[in-house]
């Protein structure tokens, strides 16, 4: 993939987060990876979205070394890199402080799968990381955040649940590319909103039965999916 | 009715759901029926609303056989057909995952009639279906969803309560045509929102007295209605 | 006042309710009175706001007889008339089903004065009417609604608290003219929203001290008001 | 600084509050100070934002004497002056009745630091003032409000926590200039919203660990900050 194309995709994913109302000021960032070259494109730190251009997107290698671009990368770069290194199938990462997903992260409560809107995109509850320890916070904090996410997925499939809540912080989402990562961030926020209202209406609300959860996820994903139009080349 | 007209009505009802903020991405669909011909027009599956055209609306017969159109129909077609077959007076169906109505469906709690806004359009609480059994989920899932709705209305009049909450899923609404079904979906969402806040303010809130519920519904519906302007030909 | 002017003022107040997001479809109405002539101008029933013109505003006398206009008046006309007859100082009435004020009406709970935003406009809690009895509902329902409001104000000053919640229905507001009535409807909705969140944060929240309540109301109203600019002719 | 420049900055900060949805009607005001001249520029009282011009911004000295401008200043001027006199490092003040921050003020509950969104901008919980006593309310009320804020910060650093909730009233924020004060008002509202939802999801939610709170605040503030781009002259 050309770096120019990657940068444009990453710019577009960042702008999509803003258009969908998931980002206040500069509180969010999306990135994408060119797996062949081992290069990651990410939003620069603290640059207002309305001024952001594709040229300003920073290019880093997987060790965090900046290989192209004149601005500082997002301060969360090391978290993104940790995800790219451990989740080998993903091509994009999106991080927001969106209203309801962040509230669940602050409440340190996994989002139960209360309905098919959730099951259509996430094949299980949205997990919450452990809190970081004082040494992890004092050390390479952003990398440790990524490591905490990866530990949370030790027994989970990141392709089946492409989102996590970082305890006391906010969500990270991922996908096949930056656009899909942003798409998951949008759906996660909606699912988080629905789940908050669901508990407000009935504190005893029960998660979906496993069979229905599977049915909806597999209606949209995998070999037997039948939602949407047949994709042809 | 000309198929072209039916398609345009169904397109318009689908777009109305989007304009009213009831639909995220492609999470919703509206359909309409030509009773004389036994043909149903429905949104194609997974097509973005901003690109949707009347020509793309899919035409099916009541058995689910596609008789016109090149795209796959909404994956919920079988649910719509079940409603058309059992509720003989309806001419349109609208399905959304709108925020508060979906939360009530996820909470598996009927929406009580707390006020005249509700009573003006729905002559009773909005019922919730039973959960589907594992064999129903494994079988013809979308048709079983429709069958569960019809069982819920075994002792209810679908013309007096033109909406239902499918447990763990979301609402379905209906009406004399696709436009009225969409109209009911908009009002249902507002009623769901009001009822959620009502409980939040006072968990002991009481439903409307039967007399007032009847008064408001009959002020707008039936022979003695006196709301709005006299309809003349 | 010319009828034309009154109609334009009433049209404008109705449109303001829509612009402020207080009205879904046609669920609301505003009116104004010419006290000298004893004529009331009110929105016609069920006419979409986007098509509403000043000419369509209906003119009624205080007995409910239509003296000018070709459309049916709002079905709530008799409630407005009751208020004009009993609250001699008011010149306008606005009725909405706005989201949070309606929720408080449905919860049959007076809105406590939790803060200065409330105290700036309403000199006391927003009261709730009694429920109507079955004979009142079966009788002249809309007039009885007005009568219930007036009974609620038997020991309250309608100029100091220009709003009420009709139990199980929605708010009515009033003011010196239709514009001020609409203005009070907007503030009431905001106050209702604040109060709902306040209870959600702290169920033990205490009303404002009487001294502060008085201070804020009197900062804006009456002879010693010092908020805003000095009005000169 | 030229008075003209100060007025334009203060106008812009006031308009930013409106653009961000923090202000209903005229319920809010922002000011800025020229420390060299000891002059404060503040919004006039009760003037609609859509008509507000830089020339209308009122200039006062620190005793509250109007030294330039033909309109009355905001009725909250004395509160602003009290803050400028006691918090020597601040250059701007913003006051709103924004929805969720006001709800916390009405609930008389400090906003706990539940997450990094809060910690990024506020180095501790957002404190609430004591209620004013009847003599304080009857006396120079607006100045006493400022004095109550200053007492609340007796053992707090106003530069590390640039916001307060006035009990039963609403928030005041401050910063290096009027623009930063408005910026803090926007973030405070978002933090208040997140915290309200957090408690709604889990009433047992725990504040952030001190180490993480420090880490995030110091990532953005002080000598070792590494968020954003390097500021060069």
């Amino acid at each position: 993939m050309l770096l120019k194309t990657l940068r444009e995709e990453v710019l577009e994913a960042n702008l999509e987060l803003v258009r969908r109302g998931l980002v206040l000021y500069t509180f969010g960032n999306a990135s994408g990876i060119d797996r062949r070259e081992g290069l990651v494109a990410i939003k620069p730190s603290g640059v207002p979205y309305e001024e952001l251009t594709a040229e300003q997107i920073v290019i880093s290698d997987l060790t965090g070394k900046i290989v192209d671009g004149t601005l500082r990368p997002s301060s969360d770069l090391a978290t993104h890199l940790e995800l790219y290194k451990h989740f080998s199938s993903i091509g994009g990462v999106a991080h927001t402080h969106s209203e309801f997903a962040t509230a669940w992260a602050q409440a340190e409560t996994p989002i139960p799968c209360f309905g098919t809107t959730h099951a259509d995109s996430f094949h299980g509850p949205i997990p919450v990381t452990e809190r970081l320890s004082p040494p992890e916070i004092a050390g390479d904090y952003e990398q440790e955040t990524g490591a905490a996410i990866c530990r949370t997925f030790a027994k989970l499939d990141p392709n089946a649940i492409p989102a996590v809540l970082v305890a006391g912080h906010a969500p990270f989402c991922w996908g096949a590319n930056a656009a899909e990562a942003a798409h998951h961030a949008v759906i996660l926020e909606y699912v988080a909103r629905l789940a908050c209202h669901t508990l407000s209406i009935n504190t005893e609300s029960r998660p979906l039965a496993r069979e229905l959860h599977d049915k909806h996820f597999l209606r949209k994903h995998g070999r037997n999916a039948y939602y949407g139009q047949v994709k042809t080349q």
Side-chain angles (χ1 to χ4, degrees), chain A:
Chain A
M1 196 193 306
L2 289 175
L3 272 186
K4 184 166 181 296
T5 307
L6 182 63
R7 275 181 158 133
E8 284 167 357
E9 284 180 14
V10 166
L11 172 65
E12 180 54 29
N14 276 286
L15 297 180
E16 174 72 358
L17 297 177
V18 177
R19 277 193 299 262
R20 294 284 176 171
L22 270 62
V23 165
L24 176 68
Y25 291 129
T26 59
F27 303 172
N29 43 70
S31 69
I33 189 169
D34 178 335
R35 287 277 176 191
R36 187 183 304 243
E37 305 289 338
L39 294 179
V40 170
I42 194 166
K43 183 173 163 294
S45 183
V47 173
Y49 285 88
E50 49 271 32
E51 304 170 5
L52 196 62
T53 64
E55 292 71 42
Q56 290 176 324
I57 301 295
V58 182
I59 307 294
S60 157
D61 68 17
L62 279 164
T63 70
K65 194 181 141 210
I66 305 308
V67 299
D68 198 40
T70 56
L71 297 173
R72 279 188 190 178
S74 163
S75 55
D76 295 311
L77 171 62
T79 310
H80 290 237
L81 295 180
E82 203 71 10
L83 298 182
Y84 286 123
K85 283 189 275 190
H86 286 81
F87 299 165
S88 60
S89 60
I90 70 173
V93 172
H95 168 53
T96 78
H97 286 212
S98 70
E99 188 172 335
F100 282 85
T102 300
W104 283 90
Q106 293 192 160
E108 296 179 83
T109 307
I111 306 178
C113 179
F114 282 132
T116 61
T117 319
H118 182 128
D120 280 337
S121 294
F122 304 105
H123 202 181
I126 311 299
V128 186
T129 66
E130 294 288 319
R131 288 188 165 203
L132 295 195
S133 67
E136 287 167 338
I137 293 168
D140 190 341
Y141 167 65
E142 287 82 6
Q143 185 185 341
E144 295 290 358
T145 299
I149 295 173
C150 294
R151 282 197 301 276
T152 305
F153 276 77
K155 295 182 178 174
L156 295 174
D157 175 2
N159 297 306
I161 304 177
V164 73
L165 307 173
V166 176
H169 187 161
F172 281 80
C173 297
W174 47 84
N177 48 43
E180 195 179 276
H183 184 80
H184 288 150
V186 174
I187 296 177
L188 176 65
E189 172 62 14
Y190 196 66
V191 162
R193 188 177 284 267
L194 291 176
C196 182
H197 302 330
T198 300
L199 283 183
S200 161
I201 293 165
N202 177 3
T203 54
E204 306 293 316
S205 295
R206 296 173 299 162
L208 224 53
R210 189 70 231 171
E211 290 85 355
L212 186 53
H213 197 153
D214 290 347
K215 172 71 185 178
H216 265 263
F217 188 77
L218 300 173
R219 205 164 79 139
K220 282 202 171 182
H221 300 86
R223 279 192 308 157
N224 297 314
Y226 58 94
Y227 180 93
Q229 304 302 322
V230 181
K231 267 88 171 185
T232 51
Q233 288 314 102

